[in-house]
Amino acid sequence: TLFRSKQPTKNAVVLQPEKFLDQVELNVDNHPEIAKQIAMIHLTKEDLAIIRQLHEFVIPHLDEMTTDFYDAVELGSGLMQIIEKNSSVERLKVTLRRHIEEMFHGTVNEAYIKQRITIAHVHVRIGLGTKWYMGSFQAFVSALTDIIMNLEMKKEDHAKSIKAVTKILNLEQQLVIE
Ligand code: HEM
């Protein structure tokens, strides 16, 4: 009927962070500086719960996301050579896929921080410049924005989702660039 498009359908997603709070963890007790970094971007347990709820909608797009990522990497200078020298596109696709998936578990704890410190060290060792890391990272920001905006949601939930996801991506970059 005429007004149907305005009605929520069975595909509509309603954010319910309270339902996911018990599945998330925000524990950086051993890292006072990182606690301040988290406070600065106002990343809360509620954001992690939102991210946890969005997990199932991100999973189906992981292959596409890693492909977009490598399309971006190919546009950088010398990056494919760095990959071929230290790893392979196929291996890194698996690593990256798992990494993005884990990002949506809503768990920011000791293991999470340690893993990001490892990534930072690996990238330094292989000589990946910060500008190329930042540049290729945009592929994830763009893909995740599309995924969220394509969900049928009310405007406030779209805004909350985008903010929660960009906060976790921002923290990721803060930790890996250090
Ligand atoms: C390693 C993530 C950008 C090249 C890794 C690892 C992760 C990761 C999770 C595995 C670390 C470990 O050993 O546990 C990311 C993310 C990026 C990014 C999230 C987002 C921007 C790049 C770019 C390049 C690159 C742009 C291009 C040269 C590599 C290579 C390794 C690696 C070659 C593996 C080295 C080895 O196997 O020892 N990265 N990376 N990464 N990354 Fe990245």
Side-chain angles (χ1 to χ4, degrees):
T1 68
L2 197 56
F3 300 108
R4 208 176 61 179
S5 66
K6 288 287 179 194
Q7 298 298 322
T9 70
K10 64 178 170 41
N11 294 323
V13 179
V14 178
L15 288 185
Q16 294 173 298
E18 63 287 352
K19 283 202 178 169
F20 291 84
L21 271 178
D22 62 343
Q23 295 177 50
V24 306
E25 185 186 352
L26 181 53
N27 176 2
V28 292
D29 290 350
N30 297 327
H31 305 272
E33 182 86 353
I34 293 172
K36 285 185 185 174
Q37 291 168 248
I38 287 172
M40 181 183 243
I41 60 175
H42 302 293
L43 173 69
T44 62
K45 273 191 84 174
E46 180 171 322
D47 290 312
L48 295 181
I50 291 170
I51 288 162
R52 186 69 190 82
Q53 187 178 351
L54 294 175
H55 183 262
E56 66 164 307
F57 304 107
V58 173
I59 302 303
H61 296 281
L62 288 176
D63 286 336
E64 206 180 311
M65 285 174 73
T66 46
T67 305
D68 287 357
F69 174 79
Y70 282 101
D71 288 348
V73 168
E74 282 183 331
L75 298 175
S77 59
L79 301 184
M80 287 318 252
Q81 286 91 318
I82 293 180
I83 291 173
E84 293 306 334
K85 194 177 155 205
N86 297 280
S87 179
S88 73
V89 170
E90 283 319 304
R91 241 183 71 189
L92 269 182
K93 270 191 177 167
V94 175
T95 306
L96 218 54
R97 211 180 175 287
R98 190 177 50 224
H99 185 77
I100 301 163
E101 209 225 296
E102 281 171 10
M103 214 185 256
F104 281 83
H105 281 173
T107 313
V108 175
N109 56 16
E110 191 63 32
Y112 177 94
I113 291 164
K114 282 222 173 84
Q115 171 61 7
R116 267 102 203 131
I117 293 170
T118 303
I119 298 169
H121 288 153
V122 168
H123 286 166
V124 167
R125 176 169 58 74
I126 66 174
L128 173 63
T130 304
K131 64 184 176 190
W132 301 120
Y133 168 80
M134 294 289 294
S136 58
F137 204 93
Q138 180 59 31
F140 296 133
V141 179
S142 294
L144 290 166
T145 304
D146 286 342
I147 292 167
I148 291 165
M149 294 313 286
N150 284 328
L151 293 175
E152 190 185 329
M153 260 183 181
K154 55 181 186 182
K155 202 174 169 183
E156 302 92 281
D157 281 356
H158 269 146
K160 281 186 190 172
S161 301
I162 296 282
K163 278 187 236 175
V165 169
T166 51
K167 284 180 198 178
I168 199 79
L169 294 175
N170 183 289
L171 178 64
E172 174 85 19
Q173 295 181 78
Q174 290 189 43
L175 297 176
V176 174
I177 281 169
E178 258 259 302

